[in-house]
Amino acid sequence: MFSIGQLSKATGVKVPTIRYYEEIGLLPEPGRNAGNQRRYGQDGIDALGFIKHARDLGFSLEDIRALMGLDGNLGNDCAEADRIARSQLANVRARIRKLEQLAAELERISQLCDGGNGGCCKVLTALGDHSQCAGEHA
């Protein structure tokens, strides 16, 4: 059995986050010892490892809850897991496109600067006037 601190160290998830996951029902409430301290078994480490990995991949807590509710059998559960994963992939690709647009605009703005220290700063002017942007990025 593991304390919450040991669970945190083993998974790299901070103690307040572990408590939060318990509060929202993502992690089951652990048993407690005679001193009323939380005690986790291997299933707690496995569940928290699953959550952490899914969070690292950008899944929402709602999607993680849905994935954890699947029993791992082929058929409908597999199709639902695939649907959730493909949706997350689409979200990541959309964020990448957005970041690429932002990078292009920032590069364009930064090239406005001639490095001088006199007169009006073209970077600050561009940042202050959205109409000077080459495209939509908000």
Side-chain angles (χ1 to χ4, degrees), residues 8 16 34 38 48 57 59 78 111 113 122 133:
S8 174
R38 291 173 169 90
L48 191 55
L57 291 170
F59 285 95
C78 188
Q111 290 175 355
C113 182
K122 293 178 183 175
C133 292

Side-chain angles (χ1 to χ4, degrees), residues 10-94:
T11 61
V13 177
K14 295 181 179 181
V15 170
T17 304
I18 295 170
R19 288 186 182 127
Y20 174 71
Y21 291 160
E22 289 172 2
E23 285 176 28
I24 65 170
L26 200 55
L27 265 181
E29 285 280 331
R32 294 187 180 255
N33 67 8
N36 203 28
Q37 294 176 324
R38 291 173 169 90
R39 291 293 176 210
Y40 301 86
Q42 186 62 45
D43 59 335
I45 288 179
D46 294 343
L48 191 55
F50 181 95
I51 294 167
K52 182 179 186 317
H53 190 204
R55 291 296 287 159
D56 289 347
L57 291 170
F59 285 95
S60 69
L61 293 177
E62 295 78 25
D63 284 344
I64 294 169
R65 184 184 311 278
L67 289 165
M68 290 179 78
L70 302 175
D71 65 13
N73 291 327
L74 296 178
N76 291 336
D77 286 352
C78 188
E80 179 63 7
D82 183 59
R83 183 197 66 74
I84 293 169
R86 287 180 185 276
S87 175
Q88 179 58 17
L89 176 59
N91 291 339
V92 167
R93 286 184 172 150

Side-chain angles (χ1 to χ4, degrees), residues 98 101-102 104-105 108 130-138:
K98 179 76 168 166
Q101 290 171 342
L102 290 174
E105 183 61 19
R108 188 190 71 77
H130 190 65
S131 68
Q132 293 188 24
C133 292
E136 193 58 38
H137 55 78

